[in-house]
Amino acid sequence: VFSTMPRGIRRLLRLRRTRAGTLGEIDEELTSLIDARIEALTAQGMSPADARAEAMRRLGATFDQARAQLHRSATLRHRRMRIRELFDDFWHDVRYGARGLLRRPAFTIVAVATLAIGIGATTTIFSAVNTLLLRPLPYDRPNELMLVSLEAPSVGGRPGEPVEIWSYPKAQEFRRRQTVFSDLAYYSWEPATITGGEPELTRVEHVTASYLPLLGIKPAVGRGFDRLLDDRPEVAQEVILSDALWQRRFKANRDIIGTALHLDGVPYTIVGVLPPGFLGLTGQGNLLVPVTAGTTRRLSQPQNHWLDMVARRKAGVTDAQMRVTVAQLGREINEIFLTADMSGAPWGANARPLDAVRVAPLIKQSLLILFAAVAFVLLIACTNVANLLIGRASTRHREIAVRLAIGASRGRLVRLLLAESSLLAALGACAGLAVAAIGIRALAAVDPTALRMPRFDGVGGLTLSLVTLDWTALAFAVGLTAIVGISFGLVPALQATRASLVDAMKDGGGRLGHGTSASRRILLVVEVAMALVLLASSGLMIRSLAKLLSVDPGFDARNVLTVRLTIPPRGMAQDSMPAFHSEVLARLRGLPGVKSASLSSCVPLGGGCSQTLIKFLDRDPVPEGQRPLVEVDWVTPDWFNTVGVPLRRGRGFSATDGVAAPKVVVINEASAKKFWPNADPIGKRIGLGVDDLEEGAEVIGVVGDVRQLADSSAMPAAYVSYLQSPRPTAMVFVKSTRDIATLGPEVRRALREVAPVFPIHDMQFLTERVAAATARTRFSAVLLTLFAATALSLAAMGLYGVMSLAVAARTREIGIRMALGADQRRVQRAIVGEAAALVSVGAAFGLVMATIATRALRSLLFDLTPTDPATYGAILALLAGAAIIASWLPSRRAARVDPVDALRAE
Amino acid sequence: VALLKGTLDVLVLKTLSWTAMHAFEITTWLEERSDKRIVVDDAALLQALHRMEERKLIAAEWGVTKNGRRARYYRLTTAGRAFLGSESERLVDHFDALTTVLSSKKA
């Protein structure tokens, strides 16, 4: 029977020649051949005994040998055949799977897209989390690296600063005395302009020669700085280029080594090029120059703090030993550099692992929240795929029943179903890889300066552009979706194989079995709930961002260039400062297109600068400790005008409010409201705990509020005039009518002419500073929104799938209802109503989950509680809209059912 | 006579090109056609048949002989027929060359 059966049928029934069967056939054939020869020989007249002997001789071997030989060959052949069949089966399965997928392009596209989004998004974000939070820092033996800082004590109500930077003399002293580090290096970044050829504003890292060897970074081209420089600080005008600058400005030309590069007009010899991706620990090192190059004056100023210190802990030194030693050295250094004006508590020093400060806490939090969000997306993708596969399996009950009826084994069926799921998983993985690759590129393209972490807020060198595809994350995401998808797709199929064949084949209406229908509904509820959590989170972030951007910060940042100008200690007598500042501003106002130029001690939205205690001279004195605090900023008279802060009452400062004139202050509206709720503050006398204002100053005007922080309303503030209370540090504000992009070099040159030796640094557009203040919120909001949109569309697709299958399964029922007189609208309403019920249950669960989950967002929200009713209202409306669309399409199909067709169909 | 390697396969295929036969018919046919000059060991013949069956040059089916004995009948497949065509041409050419060389006389 077996060999007469066509191969196709044999394959269909999965019947296979067994090895034992083959060997039996061989024995039979061998015997038959010998018998035939004996018969022929006896027919020729030979005696039976002779005939047998002759037949055995003609065999060519003994019977046993011949038989064993044939058996051995047959076994080998059988093994080869099995392998070939396995391979054939594999291809057959793949073709079967591909045919199945091609036959339902909509299902395939939805499933692959779902997988691609889930896998791609998870992989992207996890790659970022891994690079920024988890992976060891990309330096040599990173766990030994320490950030060594000075500690400032708390002064007059201001909290202490645990992470302070170093002056060069203090750092050198520390270096000489310390015993716990095998090596240490200082670094600091500054803006600089590459001159000669196209001028280019860039950022330069000043580093010791020990810096690169300490981190284990070797120049890709050329050499590093000579280590002897660190001990004999003779000025070496050498520069090392970053790979990016080298590629862009010098077209990766190796011959530039040894040639000159001009920085702010000073020639430096190019000695090396950094490896790709390394921009120094600050992330600002487009160029590296020795710490001793450039402004040399500060090398001898013990109170000019401008350096960060990184050190490598000696092997064998414990954490405790290190802490004790560093603290002790901090006290010693405080003693050595004690100055008359440094009253109060002593400064100290501490060391903390570089890894612990790698990323600003807010960035870390945002990333973790994004990671949670993306995990939700992955889960939703999983439920969606499971849902799709359950639907797919349930439409195949009949096919499965037929296959079982003609004798296919359960294992074989499972393999067939697996073939399709696996093919789907493979396609999804490929598409997911593509999505992840694009996502990681997009992350790297996020303007790094917009996300730049403020000083001390982590290793700036750790940026999103360093994020690389994490294959483990990809494998995990693919594995999870595959396992979830396959198990959900397989279980109902297996249940189907267990069900009565007769029932399955007979019952046309049973295509959507009760079990699978229920599990699909549960999955849908879960999916909706999770989507709602994501929607709520992103809704809150968007509302928060909108509020943040819509609040009037109180000033106009357009067309304003800012740069820090610092008079170093003992650089100038305090009395000369007003004249100097006036000269600086006069020079800047003389530049073409400059509308106004002024100074302020503080940048708006920069987090505030200094606070002091305020007292009211016309009121009873309040006990010490209960006196209110105000922000105090120094400005020149023109500043309010430069940044467009309106004068509300009284007058602003004038040039005549000088050192010798009566003391005057301007306050903001918040101060007026808080301190004089029912009175006119103009003319009132207050005392401020700064300089000589303790004795009293007259309030002459009230100006509009300027926010110190982007995410909170303005604090009470008092403004003091630079011309009356001179200060060495200032931020220069220049407002121009022309394109300020070209203004930078001119402002720098003008400042250099007036103040050739004073540090001029941190040049930025005011708009940049404002953008930086909202960058993190914007970044999180954009990504969360992306994930929420994904989640919503996945949930809508899931709903659509469930509802269209439900409609398909109930075609006959709907036909009967319509035949009995139900009108189209009623049928449609029933379908949409069913969907609404499912979505409502999901939304209810989702709301509960969301109120818990969004608590994690609290610290990221601006002026918004995590349970903001408006946000929840909006997202529920959005969800309802998506649900209606997703169920309306199948409902329309249901309403168009022709009763006659529907009843005839089965 | 010992057969050259590969020759047996072609001879068996040639035999089967007339009609389907079982093993004993094949060896008998070869002996008769070659005036007993080609005598194949039965074990070797079976090996050759099974080998060619795996290569799908021939196909096998159980049948009943004139004498009422069960025997395995082999027939040529399309692939076998094509193989026979190309191989017999190659073999004839080969023997022709051998004959030319070996029968050449000293000049």
mmCIF file with all atom_site columns, all heavy atoms in Angstrom, chain A residues 201 203 447 449-450 452 557 560-562 763-774 778:
data_model
loop_
_atom_site.group_PDB
_atom_site.id
_atom_site.type_symbol
_atom_site.label_atom_id
_atom_site.label_alt_id
_atom_site.label_comp_id
_atom_site.label_asym_id
_atom_site.label_entity_id
_atom_site.label_seq_id
_atom_site.pdbx_PDB_ins_code
_atom_site.Cartn_x
_atom_site.Cartn_y
_atom_site.Cartn_z
_atom_site.occupancy
_atom_site.B_iso_or_equiv
_atom_site.pdbx_formal_charge
_atom_site.auth_seq_id
_atom_site.auth_comp_id
_atom_site.auth_asym_id
_atom_site.auth_atom_id
_atom_site.pdbx_PDB_model_num
ATOM 1   N N   . LEU A 1 201 ? 32.924 79.734 16.354 1.00 0.00 ? 201 LEU A N   1
ATOM 2   C CA  . LEU A 1 201 ? 32.794 79.723 17.810 1.00 0.00 ? 201 LEU A CA  1
ATOM 3   C C   . LEU A 1 201 ? 32.745 78.266 18.249 1.00 0.00 ? 201 LEU A C   1
ATOM 4   O O   . LEU A 1 201 ? 31.945 77.484 17.750 1.00 0.00 ? 201 LEU A O   1
ATOM 5   C CB  . LEU A 1 201 ? 31.515 80.444 18.234 1.00 0.00 ? 201 LEU A CB  1
ATOM 6   C CG  . LEU A 1 201 ? 31.358 80.627 19.744 1.00 0.00 ? 201 LEU A CG  1
ATOM 7   C CD1 . LEU A 1 201 ? 32.458 81.506 20.300 1.00 0.00 ? 201 LEU A CD1 1
ATOM 8   C CD2 . LEU A 1 201 ? 29.993 81.210 20.060 1.00 0.00 ? 201 LEU A CD2 1
ATOM 9   N N   . ARG A 1 203 ? 34.048 75.221 21.595 1.00 0.00 ? 203 ARG A N   1
ATOM 10  C CA  . ARG A 1 203 ? 34.321 75.069 23.018 1.00 0.00 ? 203 ARG A CA  1
ATOM 11  C C   . ARG A 1 203 ? 35.609 74.278 23.195 1.00 0.00 ? 203 ARG A C   1
ATOM 12  O O   . ARG A 1 203 ? 35.836 73.289 22.505 1.00 0.00 ? 203 ARG A O   1
ATOM 13  C CB  . ARG A 1 203 ? 33.164 74.371 23.709 1.00 0.00 ? 203 ARG A CB  1
ATOM 14  C CG  . ARG A 1 203 ? 31.882 75.180 23.617 1.00 0.00 ? 203 ARG A CG  1
ATOM 15  C CD  . ARG A 1 203 ? 30.693 74.393 24.114 1.00 0.00 ? 203 ARG A CD  1
ATOM 16  N NE  . ARG A 1 203 ? 29.470 74.797 23.406 1.00 0.00 ? 203 ARG A NE  1
ATOM 17  C CZ  . ARG A 1 203 ? 28.673 75.785 23.816 1.00 0.00 ? 203 ARG A CZ  1
ATOM 18  N NH1 . ARG A 1 203 ? 28.955 76.449 24.900 1.00 0.00 ? 203 ARG A NH1 1
ATOM 19  N NH2 . ARG A 1 203 ? 27.592 76.088 23.138 1.00 0.00 ? 203 ARG A NH2 1
ATOM 20  N N   . ASP A 1 447 ? 19.551 67.693 19.508 1.00 0.00 ? 447 ASP A N   1
ATOM 21  C CA  . ASP A 1 447 ? 20.595 68.683 19.707 1.00 0.00 ? 447 ASP A CA  1
ATOM 22  C C   . ASP A 1 447 ? 21.285 68.473 21.051 1.00 0.00 ? 447 ASP A C   1
ATOM 23  O O   . ASP A 1 447 ? 20.671 68.621 22.089 1.00 0.00 ? 447 ASP A O   1
ATOM 24  C CB  . ASP A 1 447 ? 19.966 70.083 19.654 1.00 0.00 ? 447 ASP A CB  1
ATOM 25  C CG  . ASP A 1 447 ? 21.007 71.163 19.846 1.00 0.00 ? 447 ASP A CG  1
ATOM 26  O OD1 . ASP A 1 447 ? 22.205 70.850 19.803 1.00 0.00 ? 447 ASP A OD1 1
ATOM 27  O OD2 . ASP A 1 447 ? 20.602 72.310 20.039 1.00 0.00 ? 447 ASP A OD2 1
ATOM 28  N N   . THR A 1 449 ? 23.366 70.219 22.649 1.00 0.00 ? 449 THR A N   1
ATOM 29  C CA  . THR A 1 449 ? 23.471 71.380 23.525 1.00 0.00 ? 449 THR A CA  1
ATOM 30  C C   . THR A 1 449 ? 22.139 71.634 24.224 1.00 0.00 ? 449 THR A C   1
ATOM 31  O O   . THR A 1 449 ? 22.103 72.150 25.322 1.00 0.00 ? 449 THR A O   1
ATOM 32  C CB  . THR A 1 449 ? 23.868 72.641 22.745 1.00 0.00 ? 449 THR A CB  1
ATOM 33  O OG1 . THR A 1 449 ? 22.887 72.887 21.761 1.00 0.00 ? 449 THR A OG1 1
ATOM 34  C CG2 . THR A 1 449 ? 25.232 72.500 22.113 1.00 0.00 ? 449 THR A CG2 1
ATOM 35  N N   . ALA A 1 450 ? 21.040 71.232 23.564 1.00 0.00 ? 450 ALA A N   1
ATOM 36  C CA  . ALA A 1 450 ? 19.744 71.445 24.178 1.00 0.00 ? 450 ALA A CA  1
ATOM 37  C C   . ALA A 1 450 ? 19.595 70.570 25.418 1.00 0.00 ? 450 ALA A C   1
ATOM 38  O O   . ALA A 1 450 ? 18.880 70.903 26.343 1.00 0.00 ? 450 ALA A O   1
ATOM 39  C CB  . ALA A 1 450 ? 18.625 71.137 23.189 1.00 0.00 ? 450 ALA A CB  1
ATOM 40  N N   . ARG A 1 452 ? 22.205 69.608 27.147 1.00 0.00 ? 452 ARG A N   1
ATOM 41  C CA  . ARG A 1 452 ? 23.468 69.657 27.865 1.00 0.00 ? 452 ARG A CA  1
ATOM 42  C C   . ARG A 1 452 ? 23.213 69.718 29.359 1.00 0.00 ? 452 ARG A C   1
ATOM 43  O O   . ARG A 1 452 ? 22.352 70.425 29.850 1.00 0.00 ? 452 ARG A O   1
ATOM 44  C CB  . ARG A 1 452 ? 24.274 70.865 27.433 1.00 0.00 ? 452 ARG A CB  1
ATOM 45  C CG  . ARG A 1 452 ? 25.709 70.745 27.860 1.00 0.00 ? 452 ARG A CG  1
ATOM 46  C CD  . ARG A 1 452 ? 26.524 71.834 27.258 1.00 0.00 ? 452 ARG A CD  1
ATOM 47  N NE  . ARG A 1 452 ? 25.955 73.136 27.592 1.00 0.00 ? 452 ARG A NE  1
ATOM 48  C CZ  . ARG A 1 452 ? 25.625 74.028 26.702 1.00 0.00 ? 452 ARG A CZ  1
ATOM 49  N NH1 . ARG A 1 452 ? 25.778 73.778 25.430 1.00 0.00 ? 452 ARG A NH1 1
ATOM 50  N NH2 . ARG A 1 452 ? 25.134 75.182 27.061 1.00 0.00 ? 452 ARG A NH2 1
ATOM 51  N N   . ALA A 1 557 ? 13.677 87.255 25.178 1.00 0.00 ? 557 ALA A N   1
ATOM 52  C CA  . ALA A 1 557 ? 15.021 86.709 24.971 1.00 0.00 ? 557 ALA A CA  1
ATOM 53  C C   . ALA A 1 557 ? 15.507 86.889 23.536 1.00 0.00 ? 557 ALA A C   1
ATOM 54  O O   . ALA A 1 557 ? 16.652 86.579 23.227 1.00 0.00 ? 557 ALA A O   1
ATOM 55  C CB  . ALA A 1 557 ? 15.024 85.229 25.330 1.00 0.00 ? 557 ALA A CB  1
ATOM 56  N N   . VAL A 1 560 ? 19.192 88.604 21.832 1.00 0.00 ? 560 VAL A N   1
ATOM 57  C CA  . VAL A 1 560 ? 20.070 89.015 22.925 1.00 0.00 ? 560 VAL A CA  1
ATOM 58  C C   . VAL A 1 560 ? 21.231 88.029 23.020 1.00 0.00 ? 560 VAL A C   1
ATOM 59  O O   . VAL A 1 560 ? 21.020 86.821 23.074 1.00 0.00 ? 560 VAL A O   1
ATOM 60  C CB  . VAL A 1 560 ? 19.313 89.081 24.266 1.00 0.00 ? 560 VAL A CB  1
ATOM 61  C CG1 . VAL A 1 560 ? 20.279 89.439 25.394 1.00 0.00 ? 560 VAL A CG1 1
ATOM 62  C CG2 . VAL A 1 560 ? 18.190 90.105 24.187 1.00 0.00 ? 560 VAL A CG2 1
ATOM 63  N N   . LEU A 1 561 ? 22.428 88.573 22.990 1.00 0.00 ? 561 LEU A N   1
ATOM 64  C CA  . LEU A 1 561 ? 23.635 87.765 23.147 1.00 0.00 ? 561 LEU A CA  1
ATOM 65  C C   . LEU A 1 561 ? 24.131 87.955 24.575 1.00 0.00 ? 561 LEU A C   1
ATOM 66  O O   . LEU A 1 561 ? 24.101 89.060 25.103 1.00 0.00 ? 561 LEU A O   1
ATOM 67  C CB  . LEU A 1 561 ? 24.696 88.246 22.150 1.00 0.00 ? 561 LEU A CB  1
ATOM 68  C CG  . LEU A 1 561 ? 25.945 87.380 22.033 1.00 0.00 ? 561 LEU A CG  1
ATOM 69  C CD1 . LEU A 1 561 ? 25.628 86.090 21.309 1.00 0.00 ? 561 LEU A CD1 1
ATOM 70  C CD2 . LEU A 1 561 ? 27.037 88.142 21.293 1.00 0.00 ? 561 LEU A CD2 1
ATOM 71  N N   . THR A 1 562 ? 24.559 86.867 25.205 1.00 0.00 ? 562 THR A N   1
ATOM 72  C CA  . THR A 1 562 ? 25.030 86.994 26.586 1.00 0.00 ? 562 THR A CA  1
ATOM 73  C C   . THR A 1 562 ? 26.437 86.437 26.694 1.00 0.00 ? 562 THR A C   1
ATOM 74  O O   . THR A 1 562 ? 26.784 85.487 25.992 1.00 0.00 ? 562 THR A O   1
ATOM 75  C CB  . THR A 1 562 ? 24.126 86.203 27.555 1.00 0.00 ? 562 THR A CB  1
ATOM 76  O OG1 . THR A 1 562 ? 24.116 84.840 27.130 1.00 0.00 ? 562 THR A OG1 1
ATOM 77  C CG2 . THR A 1 562 ? 22.721 86.750 27.582 1.00 0.00 ? 562 THR A CG2 1
ATOM 78  N N   . MET A 1 763 ? 29.770 82.330 26.176 1.00 0.00 ? 763 MET A N   1
ATOM 79  C CA  . MET A 1 763 ? 28.964 83.157 25.274 1.00 0.00 ? 763 MET A CA  1
ATOM 80  C C   . MET A 1 763 ? 27.827 82.324 24.703 1.00 0.00 ? 763 MET A C   1
ATOM 81  O O   . MET A 1 763 ? 28.050 81.251 24.154 1.00 0.00 ? 763 MET A O   1
ATOM 82  C CB  . MET A 1 763 ? 29.826 83.712 24.146 1.00 0.00 ? 763 MET A CB  1
ATOM 83  C CG  . MET A 1 763 ? 29.055 84.632 23.220 1.00 0.00 ? 763 MET A CG  1
ATOM 84  S SD  . MET A 1 763 ? 30.083 85.289 21.891 1.00 0.00 ? 763 MET A SD  1
ATOM 85  C CE  . MET A 1 763 ? 30.910 86.627 22.717 1.00 0.00 ? 763 MET A CE  1
ATOM 86  N N   . GLN A 1 764 ? 26.602 82.804 24.872 1.00 0.00 ? 764 GLN A N   1
ATOM 87  C CA  . GLN A 1 764 ? 25.429 82.089 24.352 1.00 0.00 ? 764 GLN A CA  1
ATOM 88  C C   . GLN A 1 764 ? 24.350 83.093 24.027 1.00 0.00 ? 764 GLN A C   1
ATOM 89  O O   . GLN A 1 764 ? 24.282 84.164 24.630 1.00 0.00 ? 764 GLN A O   1
ATOM 90  C CB  . GLN A 1 764 ? 24.860 81.144 25.425 1.00 0.00 ? 764 GLN A CB  1
ATOM 91  C CG  . GLN A 1 764 ? 25.558 79.821 25.554 1.00 0.00 ? 764 GLN A CG  1
ATOM 92  C CD  . GLN A 1 764 ? 24.801 78.913 26.508 1.00 0.00 ? 764 GLN A CD  1
ATOM 93  O OE1 . GLN A 1 764 ? 23.646 78.615 26.302 1.00 0.00 ? 764 GLN A OE1 1
ATOM 94  N NE2 . GLN A 1 764 ? 25.477 78.498 27.555 1.00 0.00 ? 764 GLN A NE2 1
ATOM 95  N N   . PHE A 1 765 ? 23.474 82.694 23.104 1.00 0.00 ? 765 PHE A N   1
ATOM 96  C CA  . PHE A 1 765 ? 22.283 83.499 22.893 1.00 0.00 ? 765 PHE A CA  1
ATOM 97  C C   . PHE A 1 765 ? 21.372 83.290 24.098 1.00 0.00 ? 765 PHE A C   1
ATOM 98  O O   . PHE A 1 765 ? 21.325 82.193 24.658 1.00 0.00 ? 765 PHE A O   1
ATOM 99  C CB  . PHE A 1 765 ? 21.548 83.073 21.620 1.00 0.00 ? 765 PHE A CB  1
ATOM 100 C CG  . PHE A 1 765 ? 22.413 83.134 20.409 1.00 0.00 ? 765 PHE A CG  1
ATOM 101 C CD1 . PHE A 1 765 ? 22.449 82.080 19.510 1.00 0.00 ? 765 PHE A CD1 1
ATOM 102 C CD2 . PHE A 1 765 ? 23.212 84.239 20.162 1.00 0.00 ? 765 PHE A CD2 1
ATOM 103 C CE1 . PHE A 1 765 ? 23.270 82.133 18.400 1.00 0.00 ? 765 PHE A CE1 1
ATOM 104 C CE2 . PHE A 1 765 ? 24.030 84.298 19.054 1.00 0.00 ? 765 PHE A CE2 1
ATOM 105 C CZ  . PHE A 1 765 ? 24.054 83.242 18.169 1.00 0.00 ? 765 PHE A CZ  1
ATOM 106 N N   . LEU A 1 766 ? 20.647 84.332 24.460 1.00 0.00 ? 766 LEU A N   1
ATOM 107 C CA  . LEU A 1 766 ? 19.741 84.186 25.599 1.00 0.00 ? 766 LEU A CA  1
ATOM 108 C C   . LEU A 1 766 ? 18.684 83.114 25.288 1.00 0.00 ? 766 LEU A C   1
ATOM 109 O O   . LEU A 1 766 ? 18.269 82.373 26.168 1.00 0.00 ? 766 LEU A O   1
ATOM 110 C CB  . LEU A 1 766 ? 19.080 85.539 25.908 1.00 0.00 ? 766 LEU A CB  1
ATOM 111 C CG  . LEU A 1 766 ? 18.300 85.619 27.221 1.00 0.00 ? 766 LEU A CG  1
ATOM 112 C CD1 . LEU A 1 766 ? 19.104 85.092 28.386 1.00 0.00 ? 766 LEU A CD1 1
ATOM 113 C CD2 . LEU A 1 766 ? 17.858 87.050 27.489 1.00 0.00 ? 766 LEU A CD2 1
ATOM 114 N N   . THR A 1 767 ? 18.304 83.021 24.017 1.00 0.00 ? 767 THR A N   1
ATOM 115 C CA  . THR A 1 767 ? 17.307 82.007 23.642 1.00 0.00 ? 767 THR A CA  1
ATOM 116 C C   . THR A 1 767 ? 17.834 80.600 23.915 1.00 0.00 ? 767 THR A C   1
ATOM 117 O O   . THR A 1 767 ? 17.081 79.710 24.284 1.00 0.00 ? 767 THR A O   1
ATOM 118 C CB  . THR A 1 767 ? 16.942 82.120 22.151 1.00 0.00 ? 767 THR A CB  1
ATOM 119 O OG1 . THR A 1 767 ? 18.140 82.261 21.406 1.00 0.00 ? 767 THR A OG1 1
ATOM 120 C CG2 . THR A 1 767 ? 16.050 83.309 21.886 1.00 0.00 ? 767 THR A CG2 1
ATOM 121 N N   . GLU A 1 768 ? 19.145 80.401 23.725 1.00 0.00 ? 768 GLU A N   1
ATOM 122 C CA  . GLU A 1 768 ? 19.744 79.096 24.019 1.00 0.00 ? 768 GLU A CA  1
ATOM 123 C C   . GLU A 1 768 ? 19.599 78.756 25.488 1.00 0.00 ? 768 GLU A C   1
ATOM 124 O O   . GLU A 1 768 ? 19.304 77.628 25.862 1.00 0.00 ? 768 GLU A O   1
ATOM 125 C CB  . GLU A 1 768 ? 21.246 79.101 23.691 1.00 0.00 ? 768 GLU A CB  1
ATOM 126 C CG  . GLU A 1 768 ? 21.612 78.942 22.249 1.00 0.00 ? 768 GLU A CG  1
ATOM 127 C CD  . GLU A 1 768 ? 23.129 78.864 22.102 1.00 0.00 ? 768 GLU A CD  1
ATOM 128 O OE1 . GLU A 1 768 ? 23.804 79.901 22.219 1.00 0.00 ? 768 GLU A OE1 1
ATOM 129 O OE2 . GLU A 1 768 ? 23.626 77.751 21.903 1.00 0.00 ? 768 GLU A OE2 1
ATOM 130 N N   . ARG A 1 769 ? 19.856 79.774 26.314 1.00 0.00 ? 769 ARG A N   1
ATOM 131 C CA  . ARG A 1 769 ? 19.770 79.530 27.756 1.00 0.00 ? 769 ARG A CA  1
ATOM 132 C C   . ARG A 1 769 ? 18.331 79.193 28.141 1.00 0.00 ? 769 ARG A C   1
ATOM 133 O O   . ARG A 1 769 ? 18.076 78.345 28.978 1.00 0.00 ? 769 ARG A O   1
ATOM 134 C CB  . ARG A 1 769 ? 20.235 80.767 28.529 1.00 0.00 ? 769 ARG A CB  1
ATOM 135 C CG  . ARG A 1 769 ? 21.695 81.090 28.297 1.00 0.00 ? 769 ARG A CG  1
ATOM 136 C CD  . ARG A 1 769 ? 22.151 82.212 29.227 1.00 0.00 ? 769 ARG A CD  1
ATOM 137 N NE  . ARG A 1 769 ? 23.428 82.773 28.820 1.00 0.00 ? 769 ARG A NE  1
ATOM 138 C CZ  . ARG A 1 769 ? 24.603 82.280 29.207 1.00 0.00 ? 769 ARG A CZ  1
ATOM 139 N NH1 . ARG A 1 769 ? 24.642 81.229 30.008 1.00 0.00 ? 769 ARG A NH1 1
ATOM 140 N NH2 . ARG A 1 769 ? 25.721 82.822 28.792 1.00 0.00 ? 769 ARG A NH2 1
ATOM 141 N N   . VAL A 1 770 ? 17.380 79.880 27.500 1.00 0.00 ? 770 VAL A N   1
ATOM 142 C CA  . VAL A 1 770 ? 15.972 79.614 27.783 1.00 0.00 ? 770 VAL A CA  1
ATOM 143 C C   . VAL A 1 770 ? 15.609 78.204 27.330 1.00 0.00 ? 770 VAL A C   1
ATOM 144 O O   . VAL A 1 770 ? 14.956 77.445 28.047 1.00 0.00 ? 770 VAL A O   1
ATOM 145 C CB  . VAL A 1 770 ? 15.071 80.655 27.084 1.00 0.00 ? 770 VAL A CB  1
ATOM 146 C CG1 . VAL A 1 770 ? 13.610 80.276 27.239 1.00 0.00 ? 770 VAL A CG1 1
ATOM 147 C CG2 . VAL A 1 770 ? 15.343 82.040 27.647 1.00 0.00 ? 770 VAL A CG2 1
ATOM 148 N N   . ALA A 1 771 ? 16.094 77.848 26.130 1.00 0.00 ? 771 ALA A N   1
ATOM 149 C CA  . ALA A 1 771 ? 15.779 76.510 25.598 1.00 0.00 ? 771 ALA A CA  1
ATOM 150 C C   . ALA A 1 771 ? 16.343 75.438 26.520 1.00 0.00 ? 771 ALA A C   1
ATOM 151 O O   . ALA A 1 771 ? 15.697 74.424 26.775 1.00 0.00 ? 771 ALA A O   1
ATOM 152 C CB  . ALA A 1 771 ? 16.355 76.347 24.188 1.00 0.00 ? 771 ALA A CB  1
ATOM 153 N N   . ALA A 1 772 ? 17.545 75.656 27.024 1.00 0.00 ? 772 ALA A N   1
ATOM 154 C CA  . ALA A 1 772 ? 18.161 74.662 27.903 1.00 0.00 ? 772 ALA A CA  1
ATOM 155 C C   . ALA A 1 772 ? 17.307 74.451 29.141 1.00 0.00 ? 772 ALA A C   1
ATOM 156 O O   . ALA A 1 772 ? 17.225 73.345 29.666 1.00 0.00 ? 772 ALA A O   1
ATOM 157 C CB  . ALA A 1 772 ? 19.566 75.109 28.286 1.00 0.00 ? 772 ALA A CB  1
ATOM 158 N N   . ALA A 1 773 ? 16.634 75.527 29.591 1.00 0.00 ? 773 ALA A N   1
ATOM 159 C CA  . ALA A 1 773 ? 15.828 75.425 30.806 1.00 0.00 ? 773 ALA A CA  1
ATOM 160 C C   . ALA A 1 773 ? 14.608 74.541 30.603 1.00 0.00 ? 773 ALA A C   1
ATOM 161 O O   . ALA A 1 773 ? 14.068 73.981 31.542 1.00 0.00 ? 773 ALA A O   1
ATOM 162 C CB  . ALA A 1 773 ? 15.401 76.817 31.273 1.00 0.00 ? 773 ALA A CB  1
ATOM 163 N N   . THR A 1 774 ? 14.156 74.394 29.343 1.00 0.00 ? 774 THR A N   1
ATOM 164 C CA  . THR A 1 774 ? 12.969 73.574 29.101 1.00 0.00 ? 774 THR A CA  1
ATOM 165 C C   . THR A 1 774 ? 13.289 72.306 28.309 1.00 0.00 ? 774 THR A C   1
ATOM 166 O O   . THR A 1 774 ? 12.407 71.538 27.987 1.00 0.00 ? 774 THR A O   1
ATOM 167 C CB  . THR A 1 774 ? 11.910 74.371 28.309 1.00 0.00 ? 774 THR A CB  1
ATOM 168 O OG1 . THR A 1 774 ? 12.525 74.855 27.110 1.00 0.00 ? 774 THR A OG1 1
ATOM 169 C CG2 . THR A 1 774 ? 11.375 75.536 29.100 1.00 0.00 ? 774 THR A CG2 1
ATOM 170 N N   . ARG A 1 778 ? 10.889 69.018 27.373 1.00 0.00 ? 778 ARG A N   1
ATOM 171 C CA  . ARG A 1 778 ? 10.485 68.878 25.978 1.00 0.00 ? 778 ARG A CA  1
ATOM 172 C C   . ARG A 1 778 ? 10.853 67.495 25.466 1.00 0.00 ? 778 ARG A C   1
ATOM 173 O O   . ARG A 1 778 ? 10.063 66.818 24.822 1.00 0.00 ? 778 ARG A O   1
ATOM 174 C CB  . ARG A 1 778 ? 11.192 69.949 25.159 1.00 0.00 ? 778 ARG A CB  1
ATOM 175 C CG  . ARG A 1 778 ? 10.420 70.382 23.954 1.00 0.00 ? 778 ARG A CG  1
ATOM 176 C CD  . ARG A 1 778 ? 10.948 71.665 23.384 1.00 0.00 ? 778 ARG A CD  1
ATOM 177 N NE  . ARG A 1 778 ? 12.378 71.813 23.630 1.00 0.00 ? 778 ARG A NE  1
ATOM 178 C CZ  . ARG A 1 778 ? 12.982 72.973 23.745 1.00 0.00 ? 778 ARG A CZ  1
ATOM 179 N NH1 . ARG A 1 778 ? 12.294 74.071 23.662 1.00 0.00 ? 778 ARG A NH1 1
ATOM 180 N NH2 . ARG A 1 778 ? 14.273 73.030 23.940 1.00 0.00 ? 778 ARG A NH2 1
#
